[in-house]
Amino acid sequence: MFKILKKEYLANNIWLMDIEAPRVAKHCQPGQFVIVKMDEEGERIPLTVCDYDREKGTVTIVFQTVGASTMEMAEYEVGESFEDFVGPLGCPSELIEMPLDELKKEKILFVCGGVGTAPVYPQVKWMKEHGVDVDVIIGARTKDILILEDEMRKVAANLYIATDDGSYEFKGNGCDKIKDLYAQGKSYTKVVAIGPMIMMKFVCLLTKEMNIPTIVSMNPIMVDGTGMCGACRLQVGDEIKFACVDGPEFDGHLVDFDQAMKRQAMYKTEEGRAKLKFEEGDTHHGGCGQCH
Amino acid sequence: MEVDVMKRIPVREQDPKVRATNFDEVCLGYNKEEAMAEATRCLQCKNPRCVQGCPVNIDIPGFIKEVGEDNVAGAYKVISKYSALPAVCGRVCPQESQCESMCVRGIKGDAVSIGKLERYVADTAREQGIKPEPATEKKGKKVAVIGSGPAGLTCAGDLAKLGYDVTIFEALHKAGGVLSYGIPEFRLPKDRVVAAEVENVKALGVKIETNVVIGKATTIDELLNDEGFDAVFVGSGAGLPRFMGIPGENANGVFSANEYLTRSNLMKAFDDKYDTPIIAGKKVAVVGGGNVAMDAARTALRLGAEVHIVYRRSEEELPARVEEVHHAKEEGIVFDLLTNPTEILVDENGSVKGMTCIRMELGEPDESGRRRPVEIAGSEFTLDVDTVIMSLGTSPNPLISSTTKGLEINKRKCIIAEEENGQTTKEGVYAGGDAVTGAATVILAMGAGKAAAKGIDEFLSK
């Protein structure tokens, strides 16, 4: 069993939890993920690692309630435990695997949005700890749904916030802010974009035009997460790649985002039904003829 | 009970029409009367050929003799000397091509029903609460076993019986490997059989840690250098599913058999109480002809679909066990033989709307000795399906080989290990099962686990 030591509401249905998981905490690296299964009947839910404390043996996860399972997860309280918590899975971020002297020559810009801000945080923190200055853009629809702003400000060389409605700092989305930074004379040798697939797609379209190598972190549907089921397959260039063992990071200019977005929607009907069942009780079992 | 020595006692099965709609076990097994009657057909050969046909060399006449005398405890004791998983093997071993194929009775009549007798012994022993006995003397040495599938459980069980302190590390949340995630409930009941066999291995003193991915949460080098293990056995199984590389394969509604079966077996998606979804499909094509393809097809059928097996060779070349093919046909699975998919047709939402196939004919034999399937020009047609399950085998998982220095792999990316003792290219590290051979059978994996246990014992006794 894996005990919840801390629980905090961030914003916009996004929750943060510290989980006691010494084996995972000892080995996890920025860029990797874990799989949580709440109880016997639960799904295996892949979640990115937001932070870790090797001494305390804890791993910080951040998740947004999007379906029945994540809604149920948000009802767990400090002191309760998840039945299963496995990781670290996937490959560490390719940047942290680079020789440090070469990494220091790079000018890196992180662009994140929504719950994708969480996996960016440990990477930026790692950069700071290793003396690498990086810039970060957090994009959000509006000021109230920003997460991890204070934490990120402590570790980023420059933190830029872009809000669609202009309620805070720059008005516009992540792409607009990249263009704005270039207009101010900034330039970068690498972009790391993590967030909703639609956001990563547009950042990649822009950076391809601008010729900036771009890494994205993919979060497709997974079952086992250890390289067995193939549910997480993606078209990357000419190849089929498996996000759980080959990723989750890929060259964003090669990922087929349109296909990935369609695949991500595969269980939407089932998820919607399960969510209704969770919210309103056992009344939505299908068969009404309206739900398909 | 009257016995015709030329004919085996038939085994009771669920009616095909009934079982096509449930996940209960198909084969009901022998009762005491039937088992004792079948046991009388064994000739108790002095030089038993059946034993040579068994990858773990169970003393088959020995245990059958005990069954004939209604001594189940005695029979269980005989089998336990050789196998840690008799209830599993009695169900999923291809006996017709192993022990039973060598049976002298089989020359003129039916071979003795060895598999069904083994199953009877294991099931009855469990019902009577008979457990294997742990070793009395301890060796004071620690062995780590990676993976709790048939290879790992066998290796762990054998080493524990020799007095080693054994810990199994399992990546998934449940022990059993392919017995849990791969083989369906209707062929191998999870709680009644798999969990019970795992408990028996634990009763020998074996510890099982689930949710530990070796290669990620810790490495083989750390197990040996920091965690105090004296040897390691790698039984991590097969890995990534293969796809055909035809257009449309990433469409919604195309699954690997591994994914489909994992959702249904391990995650119990067929049961409403469980949260994991599965797309049952209305009309399903399963591409491939092995046991896994039969399992996927029969699972889809039980979830309510019309199911076609699409296989490029003829019935004679189907790699699946005869019994599985027979059961699948009885249940109403359609076999589209000498047929090969060329494209999966996708609608505007990215979902499967059909599959283009081409008819095949058999040409000259290829390297495998089987006649090579050749396309018949102009014979393309569309199969009207909404779900496609690819069951084309797997390639090895890279997690362990890529994180263990000195552990070499061959060009098929399988771990290199000696057949007779499982020794790999790294000292103290042994391997067996699908991780070494590529996808094979439960009993071959058990044989490899057994050989490796012997190899490890010799290594640690030096």
Side-chain angles (χ1 to χ4, degrees):
Chain A
M1 299 294 268
F2 300 84
K3 204 168 173 183
I4 301 162
L5 300 182
K6 177 180 159 188
K7 178 187 178 187
E8 196 182 312
Y9 182 74
L10 298 180
N12 198 27
N13 298 322
I14 298 173
W15 294 84
L16 175 148
M17 283 181 181
D18 281 355
I19 311 294
E20 189 175 58
R23 268 195 198 279
V24 185
K26 191 174 165 201
H27 286 87
C28 66
Q29 298 284 357
Q32 292 186 296
F33 65 95
V34 294
I35 283 186
V36 180
K37 183 169 162 289
M38 286 175 279
D39 54 22
E40 166 64 25
E41 287 87 22
E43 287 187 80
R44 291 172 67 89
I45 307 167
L47 296 170
T48 39
V49 170
C50 176
D51 205 353
Y52 45 86
D53 186 325
R54 302 212 199 280
E55 270 158 39
K56 278 195 223 153
T58 60
V59 176
T60 306
I61 53 171
V62 167
F63 62 93
Q64 189 162 28
T65 55
V66 289
S69 290
T70 39
M71 285 168 75
E72 193 184 336
M73 192 179 243
E75 302 213 329
Y76 275 69
E77 298 298 338
V78 171
E80 292 184 297
S81 297
F82 295 132
E83 200 167 281
D84 301 288
F85 190 89
V86 59
L89 298 166
C91 301
S93 160
E94 87 179 49
L95 293 177
I96 72 162
E97 308 251 283
M98 275 173 73
L100 202 55
D101 52 336
E102 274 178 44
L103 184 62
K104 282 184 176 166
K105 288 181 205 148
E106 301 276 355
K107 298 194 65 170
I108 304 165
L109 174 67
F110 286 85
V111 186
C112 50
V115 77
T117 312
V120 165
Y121 172 68
Q123 298 200 32
V124 177
K125 184 179 166 191
W126 188 97
M127 296 289 165
K128 167 96 174 166
E129 284 168 359
H130 290 80
V132 185
D133 281 344
V134 300
D135 288 356
V136 178
I137 300 173
I138 303 180
R141 228 172 39 246
T142 183
K143 180 175 193 256
D144 298 341
I145 63 172
L146 273 173
I147 62 165
L148 300 170
E149 184 195 345
D150 296 341
E151 288 83 353
M152 201 71 91
R153 208 170 284 286
K154 284 183 202 146
V155 289
N158 295 292
L159 175 66
Y160 307 102
I161 310 281
T163 50
D164 292 357
D165 63 357
S167 52
Y168 192 38
E169 290 200 10
F170 182 80
K171 183 175 189 304
N173 61 29
C175 288
D176 299 331
K177 186 63 201 176
I178 296 173
K179 288 184 220 159
D180 178 59
L181 288 174
Y182 269 74
Q184 292 175 30
K186 289 239 179 199
S187 74
Y188 298 94
T189 58
K190 264 196 169 62
V191 167
V192 179
I194 307 181
M197 281 217 211
I198 189 79
M199 173 216 122
M200 293 194 282
K201 175 185 166 175
F202 282 106
V203 169
C204 287
L205 285 173
L206 176 70
T207 57
K208 196 168 184 179
E209 222 172 83
M210 299 170 74
N211 215 3
I212 320 167
T214 300
I215 299 167
V216 295
S217 179
M218 302 299 284
N219 54 341
I221 290 168
M222 283 185 190
V223 186
D224 67 290
T226 62
M228 201 180 75
C229 81
C232 65
R233 64 189 188 276
L234 303 158
Q235 190 74 39
V236 182
D238 299 335
E239 290 177 284
I240 290 182
K241 294 277 188 186
F242 298 96
C244 71
V245 288
D246 298 324
E249 288 188 353
F250 293 100
D251 178 344
H253 294 162
L254 296 179
V255 171
D256 183 342
F257 283 104
D258 292 337
Q259 185 188 73
M261 280 188 273
K262 280 179 183 161
R263 285 187 63 78
Q264 205 174 37
M266 201 179 323
Y267 292 95
K268 260 204 165 142
T269 318
E270 277 79 0
E271 260 169 36
R273 203 176 286 149
K275 190 175 165 196
L276 281 174
K277 184 174 164 187
F278 186 85
E279 285 171 334
E280 298 176 12
D282 203 2
T283 55
H284 295 266
H285 261 182
C288 66
Q290 311 292 314
C291 299
H292 296 277
Chain B
M1 194 170 205
E2 222 172 287
V3 181
D4 174 352
V5 292
M6 302 308 279
K7 293 215 168 85
R8 58 173 53 179
I9 304 285
V11 70
R12 286 166 292 116
E13 287 176 348
Q14 258 203 88
D15 181 81
K17 282 206 184 71
V18 176
R19 73 183 193 234
T21 62
N22 69 45
F23 277 83
D24 298 338
E25 199 174 8
V26 169
C27 176
L28 303 172
Y30 283 151
N31 60 25
K32 179 170 137 181
E33 198 192 12
E34 291 159 343
M36 286 177 70
E38 181 66 14
T40 63
R41 296 184 61 238
C42 175
L43 294 167
Q44 293 292 319
C45 304
K46 282 237 161 56
N47 183 13
R49 302 198 312 163
C50 53
V51 177
Q52 296 159 31
C54 172
V56 296
N57 304 115
I58 292 176
D59 175 9
I60 292 165
F63 93 77
I64 293 182
K65 183 162 180 284
E66 302 293 344
V67 174
E69 290 166 7
D70 194 21
N71 180 7
V72 172
Y76 185 73
K77 207 168 170 183
V78 173
I79 298 176
S80 294
K81 258 191 243 168
Y82 308 90
S83 169
L85 310 170
V88 171
C89 288
R91 287 171 165 84
V92 302
C93 268
Q95 292 102 7
E96 67 280 3
S97 58
Q98 296 179 349
C99 54
E100 292 176 12
S101 75
M102 312 283 271
C103 178
V104 174
R105 277 275 184 229
I107 298 170
K108 284 186 181 158
D110 291 345
V112 173
S113 203
I114 300 168
K116 300 292 183 283
L117 288 173
E118 182 184 26
R119 168 187 162 143
Y120 166 76
V121 172
D123 286 2
T124 313
R126 182 185 61 245
E127 283 156 20
Q128 296 180 358
I130 301 168
K131 294 239 165 225
E133 287 161 24
T136 44
E137 272 180 48
K138 300 286 173 207
K139 298 262 192 194
K141 283 186 176 157
K142 277 171 73 179
V143 182
V145 169
I146 302 170
S148 64
L153 287 173
T154 302
C155 186
D158 276 17
L159 287 167
K161 278 189 245 171
L162 291 169
Y164 289 97
D165 179 358
V166 186
T167 305
I168 299 181
F169 295 98
E170 167 56 48
L172 292 172
H173 55 269
K174 196 162 266 172
V178 72
L179 310 174
S180 289
Y181 75 76
I183 303 176
E185 180 75 21
F186 54 82
R187 214 147 71 74
L188 189 63
K190 303 299 156 228
D191 290 340
R192 194 157 52 82
V193 177
V194 180
E197 299 265 64
V198 169
E199 282 310 311
N200 281 345
V201 173
K202 282 194 195 165
L204 292 169
V206 173
K207 294 179 277 278
I208 302 183
E209 249 196 79
T210 51
N211 294 315
V212 183
V213 184
I214 304 296
K216 294 287 177 190
T218 184
T219 61
I220 288 183
D221 288 305
E222 282 174 277
L223 291 174
L224 289 169
N225 302 333
D226 307 337
E227 296 203 27
F229 288 98
D230 300 291
V232 176
F233 172 74
V234 184
S236 52
L240 297 164
R242 289 209 188 97
F243 290 91
M244 292 187 75
I246 57 174
E249 237 173 343
N250 285 351
N252 290 354
V254 182
F255 305 96
S256 74
N258 262 7
E259 177 184 355
Y260 203 76
L261 289 170
T262 300
R263 284 181 183 274
S264 181
N265 300 329
L266 178 73
M267 307 311 294
K268 303 209 182 332
F270 67 85
D271 184 338
D272 269 350
K273 273 197 318 214
Y274 287 77
D275 298 336
T276 301
I278 192 163
I279 292 176
K282 288 193 174 67
K283 204 166 165 188
V284 176
V286 177
V287 182
N291 287 320
V292 176
M294 299 305 138
D295 286 347
R298 296 170 69 198
T299 298
L301 180 95
R302 282 160 173 76
L303 292 169
E306 175 191 325
V307 186
H308 292 242
I309 290 269
V310 175
Y311 179 59
R312 63 194 182 128
R313 300 182 200 245
S314 73
E315 175 150 2
E316 210 172 300
E317 290 85 20
L318 278 171
R321 288 183 65 193
V322 175
E323 183 178 313
E324 302 310 323
V325 176
H326 171 71
H327 279 151
K329 281 187 175 169
E330 271 188 343
E331 288 165 11
I333 308 270
V334 183
F335 281 71
D336 293 330
L337 301 167
L338 290 166
T339 303
N340 206 28
T342 54
E343 181 178 359
I344 291 160
L345 306 169
V346 187
D347 71 11
E348 68 281 1
N349 300 318
S351 301
V352 175
K353 64 171 182 184
M355 183 165 80
T356 309
C357 299
I358 188 162
R359 304 269 184 218
M360 311 291 278
E361 60 189 353
L362 293 180
E364 295 300 308
D366 61 16
E367 319 82 67
S368 72
R370 295 182 302 176
R371 291 177 64 195
R372 186 194 302 273
V374 186
E375 291 183 354
I376 301 173
S379 67
E380 286 91 349
F381 67 101
T382 303
L383 197 62
D384 168 33
V385 290
D386 59 16
T387 303
V388 177
I389 302 173
M390 291 293 176
S391 180
L392 309 161
T394 55
S395 4
N397 193 311
L399 287 188
I400 286 176
S401 53
S402 66
T403 54
T404 312
K405 272 192 203 119
L407 188 69
E408 283 174 30
I409 52 177
N410 63 21
K411 60 173 188 284
R412 291 185 300 132
K413 294 187 180 152
C414 296
I415 297 170
I416 297 172
E418 302 281 345
E419 205 179 318
E420 66 271 22
N421 62 9
Q423 167 77 58
T424 65
T425 52
K426 188 178 172 75
E427 191 180 46
V429 180
Y430 294 73
D434 286 3
V436 170
T437 55
T441 61
V442 167
I443 189 70
L444 284 175
M446 289 180 60
K450 204 168 186 59
K454 204 163 152 262
I456 290 170
D457 180 43
E458 278 162 17
F459 168 68
L460 294 179
S461 305
K462 267 187 219 162

